Amino acid sequence: EPMSMVAAALAGMPAGVQAIGPSAGRRQLFVRFAGEAETATMYGAPALVREIDRQLARSTFHSIVIGGRDPLGNLPFLHAALAAAKPRVPVMLDTDGQRPQELAEVLEHFALIQVTVDFSGGEASFDHAIASLAVAAKHGTPHALVLLAREDTPDSQMLRLVEEARRTSASVQAVLHPYMSGGAAPPLDRRWATL
């Protein structure tokens, strides 16, 4: 499809500081795909390219992060926009890992694949997350497993995921973020310190 014909619903392109994963604390430009209940703006691929260029000219960013609701459900848009943009800063994909086959088709555009697991899905979602890490590892793209653990997430489940990730790739970065209530980090109690 011609670049001008592909579009996607985006929830916005805010600048901000990354809160999770290996890039935590870095200033990034967030390209957020919209979920069902979010207010969205339709962006054609050329419009996204212009907005990325505009934002990068106005401010300094460590990187761009592509995230939000199911970015890999928009492959033609991602391909067209990122191939045309050729941003001068690295581009990171933050995904739930549920589309490993689609990930393989756009890896060339990303400097880091961050697979974020929030423990809201079942066993199949864990399998897909590990499969996504395997795709990134096979293609030599840096990758990370980010666990957003809740208070009720069993330690055994977290440890099993980290072990599976390490069996899948010796170079995976694993980052554990303890449950945060009301936006405040909990005290580093014995459980989190041990993990």
Side-chain angles (χ1 to χ4, degrees):
E1 284 183 68
M3 183 171 92
S4 61
M5 301 300 290
V6 292
L10 299 181
M13 290 187 57
V17 175
Q18 179 61 255
I20 62 171
S23 297
R26 302 280 192 166
R27 189 161 192 274
Q28 293 183 310
L29 176 61
F30 292 84
V31 177
R32 292 194 54 250
F33 283 80
E36 294 83 24
E38 286 184 284
T39 302
T41 302
M42 288 303 290
Y43 275 78
L48 179 61
V49 171
R50 284 191 302 274
E51 184 60 19
I52 287 173
D53 287 345
R54 189 179 74 76
Q55 294 267 13
L56 292 179
R58 291 178 57 202
S59 192
T60 302
F61 296 97
H62 170 267
S63 50
I64 297 169
V65 60
I66 307 293
R69 175 76 167 92
D70 196 21
L72 293 176
N74 296 278
L75 285 183
F77 176 79
L78 278 177
H79 241 322
L82 293 175
K86 296 182 180 66
R88 65 180 186 274
V89 298
V91 181
M92 174 185 114
L93 175 69
D94 184 10
T95 176
D96 60 6
Q98 298 312 297
R99 293 181 180 262
Q101 295 81 11
E102 290 83 349
L103 176 59
E105 296 181 38
V106 291
L107 274 176
E108 67 192 88
H109 301 296
F110 297 107
L112 175 67
I113 304 302
Q114 177 170 298
V115 177
T116 302
V117 176
D118 66 5
F119 296 95
S120 61
E123 288 296 316
S125 69
F126 302 153
D127 294 343
H128 287 125
I130 297 298
S132 289
L133 293 172
V135 168
K138 178 181 175 191
H139 289 84
T141 304
H143 47 284
L145 173 66
V146 177
L147 303 178
L148 297 180
R150 302 182 307 209
E151 285 181 332
D152 62 347
T153 304
D155 293 2
S156 59
Q157 200 172 52
M158 290 183 277
L159 291 170
R160 194 190 83 213
L161 268 170
V162 170
E163 288 168 356
E164 284 184 35
R166 287 294 290 174
R167 278 195 298 275
T168 300
S169 168
S171 62
V172 68
Q173 298 176 67
V175 181
L176 170 64
H177 287 281
Y179 172 80
M180 290 199 233
S181 176
L188 189 59
D189 66 22
R190 186 176 183 86
R191 175 190 184 202
W192 298 118
T194 302
L195 283 167

